[in-house]
Amino acid sequence: FGTKVRVTNQRNGKAVVVRINDRGPYAKGRIIDLTKAAAGKLGFINAGWTQVKVEPLNKLSHPRVKALKSAC
């Protein structure tokens, strides 16, 4: 918990930095749930989900980068 990651919308290139605060996501097929504010900054709030790239920003983060589904 507390890990900061950069989430980039693969469809439009918009990015936001978020802090991981729980063990979610709790819906099957998702790798990260975002706040409504983060989804708005990424430009997919009306779509409900999008393909994203998640990049760790601090030393305690896992080094792997994934492009997977996200939902708000």
Side-chain angles (χ1 to χ4, degrees):
F1 303 109
T3 300
K4 289 188 178 181
V5 295
R6 177 180 295 111
V7 180
T8 305
N9 185 332
Q10 297 290 82
R11 294 191 172 129
N12 63 18
K14 293 181 180 179
V16 65
V17 174
V18 298
R19 182 179 54 85
I20 306 298
N21 64 5
D22 65 22
R23 294 180 192 258
Y26 298 101
K28 189 174 182 171
R30 297 179 184 168
I31 59 134
I32 191 169
D33 286 329
L34 298 171
T35 64
K36 201 171 228 184
K41 289 180 181 180
L42 292 173
F44 74 92
I45 201 162
N46 292 330
W49 69 274
T50 193
Q51 296 286 326
V52 298
K53 178 169 74 171
V54 179
E55 302 171 272
L57 295 180
N58 59 15
K59 294 178 185 178
L60 299 177
S61 301
H62 194 281
R64 217 174 342 164
V65 174
K66 296 181 179 181
L68 298 166
K69 292 180 184 176
S70 175
C72 62

